[in-house]
């Protein structure tokens, strides 16, 4: 039996050997399922090995749930097959779109939060959950500019998706902070007001997972535009916001995301230990932290 999940890391091929040997309490590993949708091969063998020792979560990047078409049936079937194989602790996807009329874009793209979009996303989420036989968690996006024609705030849109589909949510704390800075500017009072309003309205009861990641200023626009880059340590304002979230949610499995400029695994484990301790500080029982 695995211990309860506390803080996890993204599993990278460079770290497979060391990851397999890790014995940290509450540790879990997250992968992008798109890298493992095969019938065999070394990556899948390594995932099986990791899964035999640690919980694993699947964090998808290509279902394109906000597109104007259902998720690709072949892709969804392979995802369901992988989920049956490794029995992930969590399955998540992004509230975004990435394909249009059969053409895929290498990005997670935004959309106006209209009633029509709500109906479309809810139907796609329902199709996905039916295929998987379980709820999925939807992640809030990072925003880089204002879009017009919104009929729902982002928290209200997520709340309605939860009500209509029974889905769970993945609250990316870094994305909330990056969006606050990009949409409200660098002035502290405006950023704080955005964060307060967002957390007050967000359906925190449905949050099944939290993400933490690094960001950096845009090379051209500097601090006026933050990029959700996943190539740096978690920034202190994001750690502060994480503590505010935990004060409301209690302990929620938390992932440290690092997808570029990878440091040694020991460095990532040290950062992961900070999230682990924050979660342990909110726990009423101690076994997951020992």
């Amino acid at each position: 039996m695995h211990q309860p999940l506390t803080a996890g890391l993204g599993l990278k091929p460079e770290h497979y050997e060391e990851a397999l040997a890790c014995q940290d309490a509450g540790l879990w590993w997250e992968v992008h399922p798109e890298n493992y949708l095969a019938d065999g091969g070394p990556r899948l063998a390594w995932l099986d090995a990791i899964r035999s020792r640690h919980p694993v979560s699947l964090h998808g990047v290509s279902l394109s749930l906000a597109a104007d078409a259902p998720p690709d049936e072949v892709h969804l079937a392979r995802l369901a097959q992988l989920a049956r194989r490794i029995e992930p602790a969590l399955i998540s996807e992004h509230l975004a779109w990435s394909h249009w009329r059969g053409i895929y874009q290498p990005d997670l793209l935004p959309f106006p939060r209209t009633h029509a979009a709500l109906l479309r996303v809810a139907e796609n989420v329902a199709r996905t959950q039916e295929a998987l036989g379980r709820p999925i968690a939807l992640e809030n996006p990072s925003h880089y500019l204002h879009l017009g024609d919104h009929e729902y705030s982002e928290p209200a849109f997520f709340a309605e998706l939860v009500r209509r589909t029974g889905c769970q949510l993945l609250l990316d704390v870094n994305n909330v902070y990056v969006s606050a800075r990009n949409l409200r500017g660098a002035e502290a009072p405006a950023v704080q007001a955005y964060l307060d309003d967002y957390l007050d309205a967000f359906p925190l009861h449905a949050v099944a997972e939290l993400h933490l990641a690094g960001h950096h200023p845009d090379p051209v626009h500097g601090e006026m535009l933050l990029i959700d880059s996943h190539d740096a340590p978690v920034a202190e304002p994001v750690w502060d916001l994480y503590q505010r979230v935990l004060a409301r949610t209690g302990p929620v499995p938390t992932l440290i995301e690092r997808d570029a400029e990878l440091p040694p695994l020991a460095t990532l484990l040290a950062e992961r230990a900070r999230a682990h301790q924050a979660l342990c500080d909110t726990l009423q029982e101690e076994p997951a932290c020992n």
Side-chain angles (χ1 to χ4, degrees), residues 158-202:
F158 275 112
E160 192 61 21
L161 281 174
V162 170
R163 188 184 73 82
R164 289 171 181 256
T165 69
C167 71
Q168 300 171 325
L169 300 179
L170 191 170
L171 181 60
D172 189 310
V173 180
N174 185 64
N175 288 1
V176 177
Y177 179 77
V178 165
S179 297
R181 286 285 305 274
N182 290 340
L183 299 180
R184 293 292 179 88
E187 294 296 327
V191 172
Q192 190 61 52
Y194 179 101
L195 297 175
D196 291 344
D197 291 345
Y198 194 96
L199 292 185
D200 286 344
F202 199 83

Side-chain angles (χ1 to χ4, degrees), residues 118-174:
L118 175 66
L119 296 179
R120 183 174 70 245
V121 175
E123 181 178 353
N124 288 343
V125 170
R127 285 174 181 263
T128 300
Q129 294 185 148
E130 182 178 1
L132 295 173
R134 60 185 290 174
I136 62 170
L138 299 181
E139 179 181 343
N140 55 298
S142 291
H143 295 286
Y144 297 103
L145 73 167
H146 292 273
L147 289 181
D149 302 323
H150 288 309
E151 296 173 2
Y152 293 84
S153 70
E154 188 165 277
F157 195 90
F158 275 112
E160 192 61 21
L161 281 174
V162 170
R163 188 184 73 82
R164 289 171 181 256
T165 69
C167 71
Q168 300 171 325
L169 300 179
L170 191 170
L171 181 60
D172 189 310
V173 180
N174 185 64

Side-chain angles (χ1 to χ4, degrees), residues 23 30 51 91 99 105 114 119 139-140 151 188 206 213 222 224 232 256 262:
Q23 298 182 5
E30 185 168 88
R51 180 63 185 87
I91 302 179
H99 69 77
Q105 306 293 334
T114 63
L119 296 179
E139 179 181 343
N140 55 298
E151 296 173 2
M224 293 304 297
I256 304 289
L262 288 176

